[in-house]
DNA sequence: CAATCATGCTCCATCGGTTGAGCAGAAGCT
DNA sequence: AGCTTCTGCTCAACCGATGGAGCATGATTG
């Protein structure tokens, strides 16, 4: 449509104060009022054409076309702030995530975004550095954004967040680590840990003879997943009648440096090591590098969580790969159901073995 | 403050239609109107106390305390949508990012969030899967959120985004990959690639004797960084009087499968390989695993971008580690300066060598 | 004692989009 | 012709926070 075709303006320049016609060409973003003026119609008509409710509102195809064309030409984008402010639902889904520094959380973030978009929702992710204070701040921020739903991934204190959100009328879901006040979706840590432990025990038995307990390293003793994995670890030992002394169960955090220092200080590290995260594994392999080659060759380990390069390191005998797709399938299903309250769903993991 | 202390209400129940007193206890989020009613003051006073402008507006300490207490007790969080709608600046900074699946982008995302918060800004990140259409959609979405500034990381067509944003009066910055219409901040790809190539050539010379050209694999030939790295790669060869045949320069994308297939089909792969990204490296190491051990032992490689486990693989002789902190320092400085237009700043990389 | 100033608040328009209500004109029906 | 129904649109209130303007007080000054 060219300028001369514009119909008689029903909306004068002074309709909205301070908004002169020349503003239309300025660097400010065009609004539905600008488009209405350009096309010669009402802001309501423009809004309904642009948000898809125009058929319901009996706007003619002809007017719709003209509005769409003008919107296209002027690079119109809706102001979400204004839109959400008026509507009762924002269609924004939030996710809080501890870190972006490993494949598991990275995949969670990417797939969450993809799925949210597919469902016509706007994803907003923020990472909280495993810091409870930041988690709470992030949750508040998400509420400020008027999220319709909040997914708390690997949160250290999910119940606190659930309470905060419930007070604001926002439902939450706990992913990867469970809470007691909202639905929780997590991997079957016990089974996967038991199976991984079996694999490491098998490798040690094959290469060095059996009977010796493995070492468990990484994680926090107050963390549900660590507890489950310790449980699976001990179960696999019990099956073979091997008892594990306390000093081999080390859960002093996920940080690589902690693991490395612990191993360096330790008098005799067992041949087999169960590493509770890829982040901890970084510390373990760093320690390994500091050993004499013949000593390093006497080590076998496996880790919870998968990494493509970690999987190729020589002494690695297996990695637990969490099923991100399945976790997110369940998450979105639960979100759509609107399920609330303390439920828990477990998703099986895959065990990735060396390909050689 | 307990209920009986509430002063005479100057704001009756009917002040804002449909908002009954009982609503205060419902699951809807409290607004400044609710707090005003509870405390017995005006919404303006509440707003100014909560956003910190109360001293300037001459609100008494006593009233401020009462408002803050009520806000605390009722879990008030500001409605950003409403706040941003009214203000001229949103304090929201957007970042678009190709992927979350490697350490470089993961670190970029984490540090961006941290720095933005430190600067009192709200970070919003979205990932675009290296898809130009998604990049544009993501940029539009960011405009919808009223971002004050948009950082385009590794965008395939940054100029298009700059145009879109400029039309909306939003400044942009190109990070990691340059554009021609906004400031660009990126690593010194040429120098780092040349140095890495030297290291790989040295390793090959030491282990297998010199004179043979390396292979370059990964990336896209239309991508600025790939061109710079090819340039540095060729420069290091030229220094030693080695010429590189065209069939050893392979830039058919970053995907691991592509690299693997190419290597599988290739008649005689050189001993030394320059791998243009950690994602491509996944394909290379996968191929390596399929070789006979004695053949695999004849390979040396280095890669652009760093990965903690990749660095420990036996044939790896060096990794270029981009300086994420420095890149983001410059980014935030440039953002604050308000610099516009086609400028380019280069940041040196670190070269990580095997520690053994 | 009047004039001036500082203090401590409130009023109201506003940001941009959405939505229920309503209105004019055309078409259809009896 | 008089009635209803349908079509195609517009009006105006509203979402929640913000900030300029303004209005009572009480204190200070000439």
């Amino acid at each position: 449509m060219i300028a001369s075709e514009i119909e008689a303006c029903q909306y004068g320049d002074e309709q909205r104060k301070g908004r002169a016609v020349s503003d239309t060409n300025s660097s400010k973003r065009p609004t539905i009022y600008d488009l209405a003026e350009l096309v010669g119609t009402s802001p309501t008509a423009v809004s309904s054409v642009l948000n898809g409710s125009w058929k319901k509102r009996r706007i003619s195809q002809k007017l719709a076309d003209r509005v769409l064309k003008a919107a296209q030409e002027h690079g119109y984008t809706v102001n979400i702030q204004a839109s959400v402010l008026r509507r009762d639902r924002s269609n924004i889904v939030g996710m809080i995530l501890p870190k972006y520094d490993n494949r598991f959380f990275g995949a969670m973030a990417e797939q969450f975004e993809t799925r949210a978009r597919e469902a016509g929702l706007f994803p907003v992710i923020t990472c909280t550095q495993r810091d409870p204070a930041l988690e709470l701040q992030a949750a508040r921020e998400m509420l400020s954004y008027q999220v319709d739903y909040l997914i708390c991934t690997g949160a250290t204190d999910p119940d606190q967040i659930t309470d905060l959100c419930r007070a604001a009328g926002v439902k939450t879901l706990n992913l990867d680590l469970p809470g007691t006040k909202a639905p929780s979706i997590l991997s079957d840590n016990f089974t996967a840990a038991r199976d991984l432990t079996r694999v490491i025990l098998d490798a040690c038995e094959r290469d060095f003879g059996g009977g010796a307990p493995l070492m468990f390293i990484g994680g926090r003793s107050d963390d549900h997943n660590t507890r489950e994995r310790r449980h699976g670890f001990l179960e696999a030992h019990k099956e073979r009648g091997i008892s594990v002394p306390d000093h081999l169960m080390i859960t002093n955090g996920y940080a690589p440096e902690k693991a490395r220092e612990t191993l360096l200080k330790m008098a005799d590290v067992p041949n087999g090591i169960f590493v509770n995260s890829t982040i901890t594994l970084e510390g373990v392999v760093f320690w390994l590098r500091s050993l004499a080659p013949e000593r390093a060759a006497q080590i076998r380990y496996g880790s919870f969580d998968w990494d493509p390069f970690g999987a190729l390191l020589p002494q690695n005998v297996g990695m637990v790969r969490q099923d991100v797709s399945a976790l997110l399938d369940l998450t979105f299903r639960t979100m759509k159901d609107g399920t609330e309250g303390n439920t828990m769903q477990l998703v099986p993991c895959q065990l990735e073995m060396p390909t050689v």
Side-chain angles (χ1 to χ4, degrees), chain A residues 37-325:
Chain A
E37 200 176 318
L38 279 163
V39 173
T41 184
S42 68
T44 301
V46 173
S47 171
S48 64
V49 168
L50 295 171
N51 70 24
S53 68
W54 59 282
K55 287 215 89 176
K56 201 175 63 190
R57 291 184 75 89
R58 297 189 309 237
I59 301 294
S60 66
Q61 182 76 52
K62 192 182 144 211
L63 178 55
D65 289 344
R66 280 159 54 215
V67 167
L68 286 171
K69 194 167 180 188
Q72 198 98 43
E73 279 168 5
H74 292 266
Y76 174 84
T77 46
V78 67
N79 181 327
I80 295 228
Q81 320 286 6
S83 173
V84 165
L85 178 58
R86 185 56 173 79
R87 285 177 306 165
D88 51 343
R89 300 195 55 224
S90 68
N91 291 330
I92 302 175
V93 229
M95 174 181 255
I96 65 174
L97 202 69
K99 302 280 288 175
Y100 292 120
D101 69 355
N102 65 71
R103 300 299 280 245
F104 175 56
F105 289 135
M108 288 286 238
E110 278 191 26
Q111 291 195 30
F112 169 71
E113 284 197 10
T114 306
R115 278 158 204 265
R117 280 183 220 287
E118 279 168 9
L121 302 169
F122 298 95
V124 176
I125 305 181
T126 196
C127 89
T128 56
Q129 307 285 349
R130 296 189 196 281
D131 173 351
L134 249 179
E135 279 171 16
L136 212 60
Q137 191 199 316
R140 272 184 213 289
E141 210 169 276
M142 292 287 179
L143 290 180
S144 285
Y145 281 111
Q146 313 297 110
V147 293
D148 286 335
Y149 204 93
L150 180 61
I151 294 164
C152 304
T153 313
T156 52
D157 191 352
D159 287 346
Q160 193 184 10
I161 297 176
T162 302
D163 284 339
L164 181 72
C165 290
R166 181 164 300 158
V170 171
K171 290 179 191 166
T172 64
L173 184 149
N174 304 312
L175 190 55
D176 181 48
L177 273 179
T180 67
K181 301 184 166 186
S184 299
I185 293 173
L186 50 155
S187 291
D188 182 352
N189 289 284
F190 169 79
T191 305
R194 188 197 58 199
D195 294 351
L196 177 63
T197 308
R198 285 177 183 164
V199 165
I200 308 171
L201 283 168
D202 284 347
C204 288
E205 190 163 334
R206 165 171 42 80
D207 297 345
F208 318 116
L214 310 180
M215 172 182 187
F216 183 104
I217 192 163
R220 316 188 204 189
S221 48
D222 60 341
D223 153 339
H224 170 275
N225 292 358
T226 296
R227 277 201 307 274
E228 286 293 300
R229 294 172 194 172
R230 283 169 61 135
H231 187 191
F233 175 84
L234 293 173
E235 179 69 19
H237 280 79
K238 201 198 279 179
E239 289 169 354
R240 307 188 181 199
I242 304 173
S243 73
V244 184
D246 282 352
H247 78 278
L248 290 183
M249 304 294 293
I250 297 159
T251 49
N252 55 357
Y254 290 103
E257 307 79 40
K258 282 279 175 62
R260 189 170 161 237
E261 284 160 21
T262 304
L263 288 162
L264 278 173
K265 271 186 287 192
M266 203 155 173
D268 41 10
V269 177
N271 294 108
I273 307 178
F274 180 111
V275 189
N276 194 21
S277 78
T278 49
I279 290 297
T280 306
L281 182 59
E282 286 179 35
V284 173
V285 293
F286 214 85
W287 163 77
L288 263 177
R289 285 270 135 169
S290 70
L291 297 182
E294 57 277 12
R295 171 75 186 109
Q298 300 294 102
I299 299 290
R300 297 292 178 273
Y301 61 80
S303 94
F304 214 103
D305 280 344
W306 172 87
D307 179 277
F309 299 117
L312 298 171
L313 295 173
Q315 299 100 333
N316 187 329
V317 297
M319 299 190 114
V320 171
R321 189 169 190 171
Q322 299 190 61
D323 191 338
V324 173
S325 285

